[in-house]
Amino acid sequence: MLKVDLKYAFNTGDVDVLSEWLEPLKKAHQSLINKSGKGAEFLGWYDLPKRIQSEVKSINQVAETIIQKADVFLVIGIGGSYLGAKAVIEALKPYFNHQEKEIIFVGHHISAAYIQELKTYLMDKKFAINVISKSGTTTEPAIAFRVFKALLETQIGKDEAKQLIVATTDEKRGALKQLADQEGYQTFVIPDDVGGRYSVFTAVGLLPIALAGIDIEAFLSGAEKAFVMYQNQSLSNPVYQYVAMRNIHYAQGKKIEMLIGYEPKLHYVSEWWKQLFGESEGKDHKGLFVGSANFTTDLHSLGQYIQDGQRVLFETVLNIETPLDDFNIPYDEDNLDGLNFLTKTSVDTINKQAMLGTLMAHQDGLAPSIVLHLNRLDAEHLGHLLYFFELSCALSGYLIDVNPFDQPGVEAYKKNMFALLEKPGFELETQTLKKRLK
Ligand code: PA5
């Protein structure tokens, strides 16, 4: 299903290079299993694809009811409460969607223009809301929910609106939970032991994915197969190969890992991946900085830097082996563009040759690549891939001795924002920051 190819990595695919990482990897893996490592209270994601099966029926039922009643589904959330669903939906839905049902994400930034334009767009549409927030207090989704809850209530009345709002939040705590109880919304629970960026296999990801008409059972089955396969504690485990190689690059002084896709549908998988690794490893002044690019598009921009700039980065390249679609280059009588030599060649073949050529060029330019070959891009394979990355990220975090499950650094901007907005309780910080602004 997924293969790790180290041929274009700095040290080639020599297993000996990896072997010194085996014991540390086994130790890290064991501490996940024994729940003895850092952040052990957030390990609910580890065997989640298996445990969550019991919730699938009710998630599908709620999705079906909403699909009957609305044409547009607003998914309100930010960070881990948004990126997983966005990644899966963007990867699996058609590029040009002429279906009448539509998923729109909001609450993942604070753009007044976006919110106002969305309000206008929804004016004459039947819409439903899935508001997702584990803490229930995050500013961005709270603003969006306040606006669109009011719009829905104005459109169809408070009682009807209640039928079209689903809250995904903490089981007991938080403002959203309180509001949902008070208003009688249907709710789904984000388990205490699953952090935002590891929550794609909970209702956080599954309900929006089901609303998009994607088979969540296939998605979970891919993840469950990955969970079983990656129990293997040897260097034949693709997770071990990937984690060892990225840490070899890190130990050799690389500072940046870029996730590269040759299929634009993977753009948000990269965004999800960046949150997963960036928030998990970037702490205590450690960790690789994670970036991403879509090739061949970005070969015409960032490609210059990757080939020729500072030698601080390596790439992890996602190769979808079986194309989603393909066709041959059409013949043209005049051949003014000189493409007739390709009339027996398919577009995907050209894309694959572009990938191979780039891998070799970047290897020559001392920008090595780890290649991940995924058979195809469907719900099952995507579930497998996302679980592969979750496990890789946890093990990798343990290898550099950070807690891969907290995000203390995210609080700093929030504190300043609240202080600048003069939120009650932040009086001292307000004074300090206002002095700095003078
Ligand atoms: O990974 C994380 O924990 C964060 O990105 C959160 O998901 C994000 O900040 C949103 O938090 P919440 O779901 O509490 O609104």
Side-chain angles (χ1 to χ4, degrees), residues 3 43 132 171 208 219 272 283:
K3 278 188 300 233
L43 288 177
I132 309 169
E171 192 181 1
F219 178 63
W272 172 86
K283 50 197 69 158

Side-chain angles (χ1 to χ4, degrees), residues 3 39 42 56 150 209 274 291 295 316 361 388 390:
K3 278 188 300 233
F42 289 111
V56 167
I209 295 170
K274 285 193 286 195
F295 287 176
T316 293
F388 168 87
E390 285 187 358

Side-chain angles (χ1 to χ4, degrees), residues 422-436:
E422 300 184 24
K423 184 175 178 175
F426 287 78
E427 290 75 10
L428 220 75
E429 289 89 343
T430 304
Q431 257 183 21
T432 317
L433 289 190
K434 294 242 154 137
K435 264 190 213 145
R436 270 174 73 180

Side-chain angles (χ1 to χ4, degrees), residues 62-76 101-106 118 122 125-131 144-145 148-149 151-153 155-156 160-167 185 207-208 211:
V62 169
E64 269 161 40
T65 314
I66 293 177
I67 288 169
Q68 301 300 322
K69 292 187 179 163
D71 297 326
V72 180
F73 314 125
L74 289 195
V75 179
I76 299 178
K101 307 287 177 184
E102 198 180 355
I103 304 258
I104 297 178
F105 289 87
V106 60
L118 183 54
L122 290 173
K125 298 204 167 46
K126 289 200 278 181
F127 72 96
I129 299 174
N130 179 200
V131 54
F145 186 50
F148 291 102
K149 172 180 175 285
L151 181 67
L152 192 60
E153 289 175 353
Q155 272 185 4
I156 58 174
E160 268 298 296
K162 282 180 193 172
Q163 311 302 316
L164 290 174
I165 296 175
V166 181
Y185 301 147
L207 180 59
L211 283 170

Side-chain angles (χ1 to χ4, degrees), residues 383-402:
H384 189 106
L385 179 70
L386 298 193
Y387 188 86
F388 168 87
F389 279 136
E390 285 187 358
L391 181 57
S392 299
C393 182
L395 293 183
S396 207
Y398 279 170
L399 286 189
I400 61 166
D401 194 26
V402 296

Side-chain angles (χ1 to χ4, degrees), residues 78-81 132-136 138 141 195-197 275 279 407 414:
I78 194 167
S81 291
I132 309 169
S133 179
K134 187 174 182 194
S135 62
T138 309
R197 57 193 176 275
Q275 189 210 0
E279 238 180 25
Q407 53 284 330
K414 289 186 193 167

